[in-house]
Coordinates of all heavy atoms in Angstrom, one line a residue:
M16 N -35.7 20.3 -59.3 CA -35.7 20.6 -60.6 C -35.9 19.6 -61.6 O -35.4 18.5 -61.4 CB -34.3 21.4 -61.0 CG -34.3 21.9 -62.5 SD -32.8 22.9 -62.8 CE -31.5 21.7 -62.7
R17 N -36.7 19.7 -62.5 CA -37.1 18.5 -63.4 C -36.8 18.9 -64.9 O -37.2 19.9 -65.3 CB -38.5 18.0 -63.2 CG -38.7 17.6 -61.8 CD -40.1 16.9 -61.7 NE -40.0 16.2 -60.2 CZ -40.6 15.0 -60.1 NH1 -41.3 14.4 -61.1 NH2 -40.5 14.6 -59.0
E18 N -36.1 18.0 -65.6 CA -35.7 18.4 -67.1 C -36.5 17.3 -67.8 O -36.4 16.2 -67.6 CB -34.2 18.1 -67.3 CG -33.4 19.3 -66.6 CD -32.0 19.3 -67.0 OE1 -31.5 18.2 -67.4 OE2 -31.3 20.3 -66.8
Y19 N -37.2 17.8 -68.8 CA -38.0 17.0 -69.7 C -37.5 17.0 -71.0 O -36.6 17.8 -71.4 CB -39.5 17.6 -69.8 CG -40.2 17.6 -68.5 CD1 -40.1 18.5 -67.5 CD2 -41.1 16.5 -68.2 CE1 -40.7 18.4 -66.3 CE2 -41.8 16.4 -67.0 CZ -41.6 17.5 -66.1 OH -42.2 17.3 -64.9
K20 N -37.8 15.8 -71.8 CA -37.4 15.8 -73.3 C -37.9 16.8 -74.1 O -38.7 17.7 -73.5 CB -37.6 14.3 -73.7 CG -36.7 13.3 -73.1 CD -36.9 11.8 -73.7 CE -36.0 10.9 -73.1 NZ -36.2 9.5 -73.6
K21 N -37.6 16.7 -75.3 CA -38.2 17.8 -76.4 C -39.6 18.0 -76.1 O -40.4 17.2 -75.7 CB -37.9 17.2 -77.7 CG -36.4 17.2 -78.0 CD -36.2 16.6 -79.4 CE -34.7 16.4 -79.7 NZ -34.5 15.1 -80.3
E22 N -40.0 19.2 -76.6 CA -41.4 19.7 -76.5 C -42.5 18.7 -76.9 O -43.4 18.5 -76.3 CB -41.4 21.0 -77.4 CG -40.9 22.2 -76.8 CD -41.6 22.6 -75.5 OE1 -42.8 22.7 -75.4 OE2 -41.0 22.9 -74.4
E23 N -42.1 18.0 -78.0 CA -43.0 17.1 -78.5 C -43.5 15.9 -77.6 O -44.8 15.5 -77.4 CB -42.6 16.3 -79.9 CG -42.0 17.3 -80.8 CD -40.5 17.3 -80.7 OE1 -39.8 16.3 -81.0 OE2 -40.0 18.3 -80.2
T24 N -42.5 15.4 -76.8 CA -42.9 14.2 -76.0 C -43.3 14.6 -74.6 O -44.2 13.9 -74.0 CB -41.6 13.4 -75.9 OG1 -40.5 14.1 -75.3 CG2 -41.1 12.8 -77.4
K25 N -42.7 15.6 -74.0 CA -43.0 16.0 -72.7 C -42.7 14.9 -71.7 O -43.2 14.9 -70.6 CB -44.4 16.6 -72.5 CG -44.6 17.9 -73.0 CD -44.1 19.0 -72.0 CE -44.6 20.4 -72.5 NZ -43.9 21.3 -71.5
A26 N -41.8 14.1 -72.0 CA -41.5 12.9 -71.3 C -40.3 13.4 -70.2 O -39.5 14.0 -70.5 CB -40.9 11.7 -72.1
L27 N -40.6 12.9 -68.9 CA -39.5 13.3 -67.8 C -38.2 12.5 -68.2 O -38.3 11.3 -68.3 CB -40.2 13.0 -66.5 CG -39.4 13.1 -65.3 CD1 -39.1 14.7 -65.2 CD2 -40.0 12.6 -64.1
E28 N -37.1 13.2 -68.2 CA -35.9 12.7 -68.7 C -35.0 12.4 -67.5 O -34.5 11.3 -67.2 CB -35.2 13.7 -69.5 CG -34.0 13.1 -70.3 CD -33.4 13.8 -71.5 OE1 -33.8 15.1 -71.4 OE2 -32.8 13.3 -72.3
R29 N -34.9 13.3 -66.6 CA -34.2 13.3 -65.3 C -34.6 14.1 -64.3 O -35.2 15.2 -64.6 CB -32.7 13.2 -65.6 CG -32.2 14.5 -66.1 CD -30.8 14.6 -66.5 NE -30.2 15.8 -66.8 CZ -29.0 16.3 -66.6 NH1 -28.1 15.6 -66.2 NH2 -28.7 17.4 -66.9
I30 N -34.2 14.0 -63.0 CA -34.6 15.0 -62.1 C -33.2 15.4 -61.3 O -32.3 14.4 -61.2 CB -35.5 14.2 -60.9 CG1 -36.8 13.8 -61.6 CG2 -35.7 15.2 -59.8 CD1 -37.7 12.8 -60.7
I31 N -33.0 16.6 -61.0 CA -31.8 16.9 -60.4 C -32.3 17.5 -59.0 O -33.1 18.5 -58.9 CB -31.2 18.1 -61.3 CG1 -30.9 17.6 -62.6 CG2 -29.9 18.7 -60.5 CD1 -30.4 18.7 -63.6
C32 N -31.6 16.9 -58.0 CA -31.9 17.4 -56.6 C -31.5 19.0 -56.5 O -30.4 19.3 -56.8 CB -31.1 16.6 -55.7 SG -31.3 17.1 -53.9
N33 N -32.5 19.7 -56.0 CA -32.2 21.1 -55.8 C -31.2 21.3 -54.6 O -30.6 22.4 -54.4 CB -33.6 21.9 -55.6 CG -34.3 22.1 -56.8 OD1 -34.9 21.2 -57.3 ND2 -34.1 23.4 -57.5
G34 N -31.2 20.3 -53.7 CA -30.3 20.4 -52.5 C -28.9 20.3 -52.8 O -28.1 21.1 -52.3
C35 N -28.5 19.3 -53.5 CA -27.2 18.9 -53.8 C -26.7 18.7 -55.3 O -25.5 18.5 -55.4 CB -26.8 17.7 -53.0 SG -27.7 16.2 -53.7
G36 N -27.7 18.9 -56.1 CA -27.3 18.7 -57.5 C -27.2 17.4 -58.1 O -26.9 17.2 -59.3
K37 N -27.5 16.4 -57.2 CA -27.5 14.9 -57.7 C -28.4 14.8 -58.8 O -29.6 15.2 -58.7 CB -27.6 14.1 -56.4 CG -27.8 12.6 -56.8 CD -28.1 11.9 -55.4 CE -28.4 10.4 -55.6 NZ -28.7 9.7 -54.4
V38 N -28.0 13.9 -59.8 CA -28.9 13.6 -60.9 C -29.6 12.2 -60.6 O -29.0 11.2 -60.1 CB -28.2 13.5 -62.2 CG1 -29.1 12.9 -63.4 CG2 -27.6 14.8 -62.6
I39 N -31.0 12.3 -60.6 CA -31.8 11.1 -60.2 C -32.4 10.6 -61.6 O -33.0 11.2 -62.3 CB -33.0 11.5 -59.4 CG1 -32.3 12.0 -58.0 CG2 -33.8 10.2 -59.2 CD1 -33.2 12.7 -57.1
A40 N -31.9 9.3 -62.0 CA -32.3 8.8 -63.2 C -33.9 8.5 -63.3 O -34.5 8.3 -62.1 CB -31.6 7.4 -63.4
V41 N -34.4 8.6 -64.5 CA -35.8 8.3 -64.5 C -36.0 7.3 -65.7 O -35.4 7.3 -66.7 CB -36.5 9.7 -65.0 CG1 -38.0 9.3 -65.4 CG2 -36.5 10.6 -63.9
K42 N -36.7 6.1 -65.5 CA -37.0 5.2 -66.5 C -38.5 5.1 -66.5 O -39.2 5.0 -65.6 CB -36.4 3.8 -66.1 CG -34.9 3.7 -66.5 CD -34.3 2.4 -66.2 CE -32.8 2.4 -66.3 NZ -32.3 1.2 -65.8
H43 N -39.0 5.2 -67.8 CA -40.5 5.1 -68.1 C -41.2 6.0 -67.2 O -42.4 5.7 -66.7 CB -41.0 3.7 -68.0 CG -40.2 2.6 -68.6 ND1 -40.1 2.6 -70.1 CD2 -39.4 1.6 -68.3 CE1 -39.2 1.6 -70.4 NE2 -38.8 0.9 -69.4
G44 N -40.7 7.3 -67.0 CA -41.4 8.3 -66.2 C -41.3 8.1 -64.8 O -41.9 8.8 -64.0
M45 N -40.6 7.1 -64.3 CA -40.6 6.8 -62.9 C -39.1 7.1 -62.3 O -38.2 6.5 -62.9 CB -40.9 5.3 -62.5 CG -42.4 5.0 -62.7 SD -43.5 5.6 -61.5 CE -42.8 4.7 -60.1
P46 N -39.0 7.9 -61.2 CA -37.7 8.1 -60.7 C -37.2 6.8 -60.1 O -37.9 6.0 -59.5 CB -37.9 9.1 -59.4 CG -39.3 9.5 -59.7 CD -40.0 8.6 -60.5
M47 N -35.9 6.6 -60.3 CA -35.2 5.3 -60.0 C -34.8 5.2 -58.5 O -34.1 4.3 -58.0 CB -34.0 4.8 -60.9 CG -34.5 4.6 -62.2 SD -35.4 3.0 -62.4 CE -37.1 3.6 -62.4
E48 N -35.0 6.4 -57.7 CA -34.7 6.3 -56.3 C -35.8 7.3 -55.7 O -36.5 8.0 -56.3 CB -33.4 6.7 -56.0 CG -32.8 8.0 -56.6 CD -31.4 8.2 -56.4 OE1 -30.8 8.5 -55.4 OE2 -30.7 8.0 -57.3
G49 N -35.8 7.4 -54.4 CA -36.6 8.1 -53.6 C -36.5 9.6 -53.8 O -35.3 10.2 -53.8
V50 N -37.5 10.4 -54.2 CA -37.4 11.9 -54.4 C -38.6 12.5 -53.8 O -39.7 12.1 -53.9 CB -37.1 12.1 -55.9 CG1 -38.4 11.5 -56.7 CG2 -37.0 13.6 -56.1
L51 N -38.4 13.7 -53.3 CA -39.5 14.6 -52.7 C -39.7 15.6 -53.7 O -38.9 16.4 -54.1 CB -39.2 15.2 -51.3 CG -40.1 16.2 -50.9 CD1 -41.4 15.7 -50.4 CD2 -39.5 17.0 -49.8
Q52 N -41.0 15.7 -54.2 CA -41.4 16.7 -55.2 C -42.3 17.7 -54.4 O -43.3 17.3 -53.9 CB -42.2 16.0 -56.4 CG -42.6 17.2 -57.4 CD -43.3 16.5 -58.5 OE1 -43.8 15.5 -58.5 NE2 -43.5 17.4 -59.7
V53 N -41.8 19.0 -54.5 CA -42.6 20.0 -53.9 C -43.2 21.0 -54.9 O -42.4 21.4 -55.7 CB -41.7 20.7 -52.8 CG1 -42.5 21.9 -52.3 CG2 -41.5 19.7 -51.7
R54 N -44.4 21.3 -54.9 CA -45.0 22.4 -55.7 C -45.7 23.3 -54.9 O -46.8 22.6 -54.2 CB -45.6 21.9 -56.8 CG -46.2 22.9 -57.8 CD -47.0 22.4 -59.0 NE -47.4 23.6 -60.0 CZ -48.4 24.3 -59.8 NH1 -49.1 24.2 -58.5 NH2 -48.7 25.2 -60.7
K55 N -45.5 24.5 -54.7 CA -46.3 25.2 -53.7 C -46.8 26.5 -54.4 O -45.9 27.4 -54.8 CB -45.4 25.7 -52.5 CG -46.0 26.8 -51.6 CD -47.2 26.2 -50.8 CE -47.8 27.4 -50.0 NZ -49.1 26.9 -49.4
A56 N -48.2 26.7 -54.5 CA -48.6 27.9 -55.0 C -49.0 28.7 -53.8 O -49.9 28.5 -53.0 CB -49.9 27.6 -55.7
W57 N -48.2 29.9 -53.6 CA -48.5 30.8 -52.5 C -49.8 31.5 -52.5 O -50.2 32.0 -53.6 CB -47.4 31.6 -52.3 CG -46.1 31.0 -52.0 CD1 -45.0 30.6 -52.9 CD2 -45.5 30.5 -50.7 NE1 -44.1 29.9 -52.2 CE2 -44.4 29.9 -50.8 CE3 -46.0 30.6 -49.5 CZ2 -43.7 29.3 -49.8 CZ3 -45.4 30.2 -48.4 CH2 -44.2 29.6 -48.5
E58 N -50.5 31.6 -51.5 CA -51.8 32.2 -51.5 C -51.7 33.8 -51.1 O -50.7 34.2 -50.6 CB -52.7 31.5 -50.7 CG -52.4 31.1 -49.3 CD -51.3 30.1 -49.0 OE1 -51.7 28.9 -49.4 OE2 -50.1 30.3 -48.7
Y59 N -52.8 34.3 -51.2 CA -53.0 35.7 -50.8 C -52.4 36.2 -49.5 O -51.9 37.2 -49.4 CB -54.5 36.1 -50.8 CG -54.9 37.5 -50.6 CD1 -54.4 38.6 -51.5 CD2 -55.4 37.9 -49.4 CE1 -54.8 39.9 -51.3 CE2 -55.6 39.3 -49.1 CZ -55.3 40.2 -50.1 OH -55.5 41.4 -49.8
M60 N -52.7 35.4 -48.4 CA -52.2 35.8 -47.1 C -50.7 35.7 -46.9 O -50.2 36.2 -45.9 CB -52.9 35.1 -46.1 CG -54.3 35.3 -46.0 SD -54.8 37.0 -45.8 CE -54.2 37.3 -44.1
S61 N -50.0 35.2 -47.8 CA -48.5 35.0 -47.8 C -47.9 36.3 -48.4 O -48.6 37.1 -49.0 CB -48.1 33.7 -48.5 OG -48.1 33.9 -49.9
G62 N -46.7 36.5 -48.1 CA -46.0 37.5 -48.8 C -45.5 37.1 -50.3 O -44.9 38.0 -50.9
K63 N -45.9 36.1 -50.6 CA -45.6 35.5 -52.1 C -46.8 35.3 -52.9 O -46.9 34.4 -53.8 CB -44.7 34.3 -52.0 CG -43.5 34.4 -51.2 CD -42.7 33.1 -51.1 CE -41.6 33.1 -50.3 NZ -41.8 33.4 -48.8
D64 N -47.8 36.1 -52.6 CA -49.1 36.0 -53.3 C -48.9 35.8 -54.8 O -48.3 36.6 -55.5 CB -50.0 37.1 -53.1 CG -51.4 36.9 -53.8 OD1 -51.8 35.8 -54.0 OD2 -52.1 38.1 -54.1
G65 N -49.5 34.6 -55.4 CA -49.4 34.5 -56.8 C -48.1 33.7 -57.3 O -48.1 33.3 -58.5
Q66 N -47.2 33.5 -56.4 CA -45.9 32.9 -56.8 C -46.1 31.4 -56.6 O -46.6 30.9 -55.7 CB -44.8 33.5 -55.9 CG -43.5 33.0 -56.2 CD -42.4 33.7 -55.3 OE1 -42.4 34.9 -55.1 NE2 -41.5 32.8 -54.7
V67 N -45.6 30.7 -57.7 CA -45.6 29.2 -57.6 C -43.9 28.8 -57.5 O -43.3 29.0 -58.4 CB -46.2 28.5 -58.8 CG1 -46.2 27.0 -58.7 CG2 -47.6 29.1 -58.9
D68 N -43.7 28.0 -56.4 CA -42.3 27.5 -56.3 C -42.4 26.1 -56.3 O -43.4 25.3 -56.0 CB -41.8 27.9 -54.8 CG -41.6 29.4 -54.6 OD1 -41.5 30.1 -55.6 OD2 -41.5 29.8 -53.4
S69 N -41.3 25.4 -57.0 CA -41.2 24.1 -57.0 C -39.9 23.6 -56.9 O -38.9 24.3 -57.3 CB -41.8 23.5 -58.4 OG -41.2 24.0 -59.5
F70 N -39.6 22.4 -56.4 CA -38.2 21.8 -56.3 C -38.3 20.4 -56.0 O -39.3 19.9 -55.5 CB -37.4 22.6 -55.2 CG -37.9 22.6 -53.8 CD1 -37.5 21.5 -52.9 CD2 -38.7 23.6 -53.3 CE1 -38.1 21.4 -51.6 CE2 -39.2 23.6 -52.0 CZ -38.9 22.4 -51.2
D71 N -37.2 19.7 -56.2 CA -37.1 18.2 -55.8 C -36.0 18.1 -54.9 O -34.9 18.7 -55.0 CB -36.9 17.5 -57.2 CG -38.1 17.6 -58.1 OD1 -39.1 16.6 -57.8 OD2 -38.2 18.4 -59.0
L72 N -36.1 17.2 -53.9 CA -35.0 16.8 -53.1 C -34.8 15.3 -53.2 O -35.8 14.4 -53.1 CB -35.2 17.2 -51.7 CG -35.4 18.7 -51.4 CD1 -35.7 18.8 -49.9 CD2 -34.0 19.4 -51.6
C73 N -33.4 14.8 -53.2 CA -33.1 13.4 -53.1 C -33.4 13.0 -51.6 O -33.7 13.9 -50.7 CB -31.7 13.2 -53.5 SG -30.4 13.7 -52.4
E74 N -33.4 11.7 -51.3 CA -33.7 11.3 -50.1 C -32.7 11.7 -49.0 O -33.1 12.0 -47.9 CB -33.7 9.7 -50.1 CG -34.5 9.1 -49.0 CD -34.7 7.6 -49.0 OE1 -34.6 7.1 -50.2 OE2 -35.2 6.9 -48.2
E75 N -31.4 11.8 -49.3 CA -30.4 12.2 -48.4 C -30.9 13.7 -48.0 O -30.6 14.0 -46.8 CB -29.0 12.2 -49.0 CG -28.5 10.7 -49.1 CD -29.1 10.1 -50.4 OE1 -29.5 10.7 -51.5 OE2 -29.0 8.9 -50.5
C76 N -31.0 14.7 -49.1 CA -31.4 16.0 -48.7 C -32.6 16.1 -47.8 O -32.8 16.9 -47.0 CB -31.4 16.8 -50.0 SG -29.7 17.0 -50.7
Y77 N -33.6 15.2 -48.1 CA -34.8 15.2 -47.4 C -34.5 14.8 -45.9 O -35.0 15.5 -45.0 CB -35.8 14.0 -48.0 CG -37.1 13.8 -47.1 CD1 -38.1 14.7 -47.2 CD2 -37.0 12.8 -46.2 CE1 -39.2 14.3 -46.4 CE2 -38.1 12.5 -45.4 CZ -39.2 13.3 -45.5 OH -40.3 13.1 -44.7
D78 N -33.8 13.9 -45.7 CA -33.4 13.4 -44.3 C -32.6 14.5 -43.7 O -33.0 14.8 -42.5 CB -32.4 12.2 -44.4 CG -33.2 11.0 -44.7 OD1 -34.5 11.0 -44.7 OD2 -32.6 9.9 -45.2
R79 N -31.7 15.2 -44.3 CA -31.0 16.4 -43.8 C -32.1 17.4 -43.4 O -31.8 18.0 -42.2 CB -30.0 16.8 -44.8 CG -28.8 17.6 -44.1 CD -27.6 17.7 -44.9 NE -27.8 18.2 -46.3 CZ -27.4 17.3 -47.3 NH1 -26.9 16.2 -47.2 NH2 -27.8 17.7 -48.6
M80 N -32.9 17.8 -44.2 CA -33.9 18.8 -44.0 C -34.8 18.4 -42.8 O -35.0 19.3 -41.8 CB -34.8 19.1 -45.2 CG -35.7 20.1 -45.1 SD -36.7 20.4 -46.6 CE -37.8 19.0 -46.4
T81 N -35.4 17.2 -42.8 CA -36.3 17.0 -41.7 C -35.5 16.7 -40.4 O -36.2 16.9 -39.1 CB -37.0 15.7 -42.1 OG1 -36.1 14.6 -42.3 CG2 -38.0 15.9 -43.3
E82 N -34.3 16.3 -40.4 CA -33.6 16.4 -39.0 C -33.4 17.7 -38.3 O -33.3 17.7 -37.1 CB -32.1 15.8 -39.4 CG -32.0 14.3 -39.5 CD -30.7 13.8 -40.1 OE1 -29.7 14.7 -40.1 OE2 -30.6 12.6 -40.5
Q83 N -33.7 18.7 -39.1 CA -33.6 20.1 -38.5 C -35.0 20.5 -37.9 O -35.1 21.6 -37.3 CB -33.2 21.0 -39.7 CG -31.9 21.0 -40.1 CD -31.6 21.8 -41.4 OE1 -32.3 22.7 -41.7 NE2 -30.4 21.5 -42.0
F84 N -36.1 19.7 -38.1 CA -37.2 20.1 -37.6 C -37.4 20.0 -36.1 O -36.7 19.1 -35.4 CB -38.4 19.0 -38.2 CG -38.7 19.3 -39.7 CD1 -39.6 18.4 -40.3 CD2 -38.1 20.3 -40.4 CE1 -40.0 18.6 -41.7 CE2 -38.5 20.4 -41.8 CZ -39.4 19.5 -42.4
C85 N -38.1 20.9 -35.4 CA -38.3 20.7 -34.1 C -39.2 19.4 -33.7 O -38.9 18.7 -32.7 CB -39.0 21.9 -33.5 SG -38.1 23.4 -33.5
I86 N -40.2 19.3 -34.6 CA -41.0 18.1 -34.5 C -40.9 17.3 -35.8 O -41.0 17.9 -36.8 CB -42.5 18.6 -34.4 CG1 -42.6 19.5 -33.1 CG2 -43.5 17.3 -34.3 CD1 -43.9 20.3 -33.1
P87 N -40.5 16.0 -35.7 CA -40.3 15.2 -36.8 C -41.5 15.0 -37.7 O -42.6 15.1 -37.1 CB -39.8 13.8 -36.2 CG -40.2 13.9 -34.8 CD -40.4 15.3 -34.4
P88 N -41.4 14.8 -38.9 CA -42.7 14.4 -39.8 C -43.4 13.4 -39.2 O -42.9 12.4 -38.6 CB -42.1 14.1 -41.2 CG -40.6 14.4 -41.1 CD -40.2 14.4 -39.7
T89 N -44.8 13.4 -39.4 CA -45.5 12.3 -39.0 C -45.4 11.1 -40.0 O -45.4 11.5 -41.3 CB -47.0 12.8 -39.2 OG1 -47.2 13.8 -38.2 CG2 -48.0 11.6 -38.7
T90 N -45.2 9.9 -39.5 CA -45.0 8.8 -40.4 C -46.1 7.8 -40.3 O -46.3 7.3 -39.1 CB -43.5 8.3 -40.1 OG1 -42.5 9.3 -40.2 CG2 -43.2 7.1 -41.0
T91 N -46.6 7.3 -41.3 CA -47.6 6.2 -41.3 C -47.2 5.3 -42.4 O -46.4 5.5 -43.2 CB -48.9 6.7 -41.5 OG1 -49.2 7.4 -42.7 CG2 -49.4 7.6 -40.3
E92 N -47.8 4.1 -42.4 CA -47.6 3.1 -43.4 C -48.5 3.3 -44.6 O -49.7 3.5 -44.3 CB -47.7 1.7 -42.9 CG -47.1 0.6 -43.6 CD -46.9 -0.6 -42.7 OE1 -46.4 -0.8 -41.7 OE2 -47.3 -1.7 -43.3
A93 N -48.0 3.4 -45.8 CA -48.8 3.7 -47.0 C -49.7 2.3 -47.1 O -49.3 1.2 -46.9 CB -47.9 3.8 -48.2
V94 N -50.9 2.6 -47.5 CA -51.8 1.6 -47.9 C -52.0 1.3 -49.3 O -52.4 2.3 -50.0 CB -53.3 1.8 -47.1 CG1 -54.2 0.7 -47.6 CG2 -53.1 1.9 -45.7
E95 N -51.7 0.3 -49.9 CA -51.6 0.0 -51.3 C -53.1 -0.1 -51.8 O -53.8 -0.9 -51.3 CB -50.9 -1.2 -51.7 CG -49.5 -1.0 -51.4 CD -48.6 -0.3 -52.6 OE1 -49.2 -0.2 -53.7 OE2 -47.5 0.2 -52.3
L96 N -53.6 0.6 -52.7 CA -55.0 0.3 -53.1 C -54.9 -0.6 -54.5 O -54.1 -0.3 -55.3 CB -55.5 1.8 -53.7 CG -55.7 2.8 -52.6 CD1 -56.2 4.1 -53.3 CD2 -56.7 2.2 -51.6
V97 N -55.7 -1.6 -54.3 CA -55.6 -2.6 -55.5 C -56.7 -2.4 -56.4 O -57.8 -2.0 -56.1 CB -55.8 -4.1 -54.9 CG1 -55.8 -5.1 -56.0 CG2 -54.6 -4.3 -53.8
Ligands
ZN129 ZN1 -29.8 16.0 -52.7

């Protein structure tokens, strides 16, 4: 869940983890710790056609979620574009 400042600015003020309710501070539009942002627009073939779901998870909740996977997430090293 993301909370934004007043309508005029639309600046991201803080992020609240949907998993545990932890508040993640934001400075200059950047989260001050790791956060997973999910936005899913469900398509026609799903049972949720036309529905858009979004949530944020802190790193601890992300780890807890992925530990339940049968197959762990694929991990690669990010390549910085200069
Ligand atoms: Zn959390």
Side-chain angles (χ1 to χ4, degrees):
M16 176 171 75
R17 296 188 169 216
E18 290 186 342
Y19 293 84
K20 285 188 177 172
K21 292 175 188 139
E22 284 294 311
E23 315 92 70
T24 61
K25 279 280 183 189
L27 182 62
E28 194 168 21
R29 62 183 186 155
I30 299 169
I31 301 167
C32 174
N33 286 76
C35 67
K37 176 181 170 183
V38 174
I39 297 159
V41 171
K42 280 185 185 166
H43 309 296
M45 291 283 295
M47 291 292 100
E48 56 188 283
V50 59
L51 170 72
Q52 180 180 15
V53 174
R54 183 183 184 278
K55 171 64 179 170
W57 293 96
E58 53 285 290
Y59 177 72
M60 294 307 290
S61 74
K63 301 176 183 64
D64 182 28
Q66 181 176 322
V67 179
D68 293 341
S69 60
F70 61 87
D71 292 278
L72 290 180
C73 72
E74 198 168 350
E75 291 79 21
C76 286
Y77 170 85
D78 289 342
R79 203 162 45 242
M80 180 180 74
T81 55
E82 279 166 11
Q83 296 169 14
F84 290 179
C85 293
I86 302 165
T89 305
T90 302
T91 56
E92 203 165 305
V94 178
E95 297 278 337
L96 294 175
V97 181

